[in-house]
């Protein structure tokens, strides 16, 4: 009994939506388009009326096909190739966020291992060398390592010396 009422209600709603669609002055529709539109509205309303526990058979998880193979994406030391669009990137994080993904979701989408890199090895090494050059990662009071031959001597510390305890 409840199914009959729901079916009748979806038919009425689909009819009202079709009438509203035809009543729009911007809609240019021929007589052949009306039954097709009515059927599509009815199927959409029926899909919405089904409880969320019952999955419609037409709802399937889309299979994501990578643009390149995983092996090819890691082939270069200078860049990583995105599996989404096949373009090279030094770091994938911004590209992934532009596509609405996190690194974990990206790895899950393409069945990648948890240690799949998000930054190209050469780029990571260049950033590491730059950080070491400016002194990041040292503990306070540690001196900078002796410079290589031919490099200028480090400047003397500025300011007043610390008091001895």
């Amino acid at each position: 009994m409840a199914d009959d009422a729901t079916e009748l209600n979806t038919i009425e709603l689909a009819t009202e939506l079709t009438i509203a669609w035809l009543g729009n002055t911007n809609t240019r529709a021929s007589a052949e388009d009306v039954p097709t539109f009515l059927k599509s509205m009815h199927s959409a309303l029926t899909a919405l009326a089904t409880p969320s526990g019952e999955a419609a058979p037409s709802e399937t998880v889309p299979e994501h096909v990578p643009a390149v193979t995983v092996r090819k994406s890691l082939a270069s030391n200078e860049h990583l190739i995105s599996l989404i669009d096949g373009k090279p990137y030094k770091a994938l994080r911004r590209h992934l966020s532009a596509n609405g993904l996190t690194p974990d979701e990206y790895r899950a989408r393409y069945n990648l291992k948890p240690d799949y890199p998000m930054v190209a090895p050469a780029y990571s090494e260049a950033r590491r060398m730059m950080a070491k050059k400016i002194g990041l990662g040292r503990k306070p009071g540690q001196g900078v390592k002796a410079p290589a031959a031919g490099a200028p001597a480090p400047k003397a510390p500025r300011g007043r010396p610390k008091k001895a305890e």
Side-chain angles (χ1 to χ4, degrees), residues 23-81:
N24 186 350
T25 57
N26 294 326
T27 304
R28 298 189 201 290
S30 63
E32 295 85 32
D33 294 340
V34 175
T36 306
F37 185 77
L38 182 60
K39 286 178 187 176
S40 67
M41 290 306 299
H42 182 261
S43 63
L45 289 172
T46 304
L48 289 173
T50 58
S52 61
E54 299 175 19
S58 63
E59 293 180 26
T60 58
V61 176
E63 183 74 24
H64 296 286
V65 179
V68 295
T69 63
V70 175
R71 185 177 211 159
K72 186 174 180 182
S73 73
L74 298 173
S76 175
N77 197 25
E78 299 297 319
H79 58 265
L80 297 172
I81 297 177

Side-chain angles (χ1 to χ4, degrees), residues 8 45 57 75 80 118 124 127 129 133:
L8 183 60
L45 289 172
L80 297 172
M118 292 291 128
S124 178
R127 296 293 299 228
M129 293 303 291
K133 182 179 176 182

Side-chain angles (χ1 to χ4, degrees), residues 2-4 9 32 34-35 42 47 52 58 73 76 83 87 92 94 96 99 108 111 113 120 126 131 133 148 153 160:
D3 291 336
D4 293 337
N9 198 10
E32 295 85 32
V34 175
H42 182 261
S52 61
S58 63
S73 73
S76 175
L83 299 175
K87 294 180 182 176
L92 289 175
R94 184 176 292 163
L96 295 179
N99 286 290
N111 298 322
K113 293 181 180 178
K133 182 179 176 182
R160 186 173 30 177

Side-chain angles (χ1 to χ4, degrees), residues 78-136:
E78 299 297 319
H79 58 265
L80 297 172
I81 297 177
S82 169
L83 299 175
I84 298 171
D85 60 5
K87 294 180 182 176
Y89 297 94
K90 288 183 181 180
L92 289 175
R93 190 171 300 267
R94 184 176 292 163
H95 169 63
L96 295 179
S97 65
N99 286 290
L101 293 171
T102 63
D104 292 332
E105 291 169 347
Y106 179 73
R107 289 180 180 118
R109 176 186 277 192
Y110 295 108
N111 298 322
L112 302 171
K113 293 181 180 178
D115 63 344
Y116 183 86
M118 292 291 128
V119 178
Y123 183 68
S124 178
E125 182 64 22
R127 296 293 299 228
R128 185 180 75 82
M129 293 303 291
M130 183 175 56
K132 285 180 96 175
K133 182 179 176 182
I134 64 172
L136 293 178

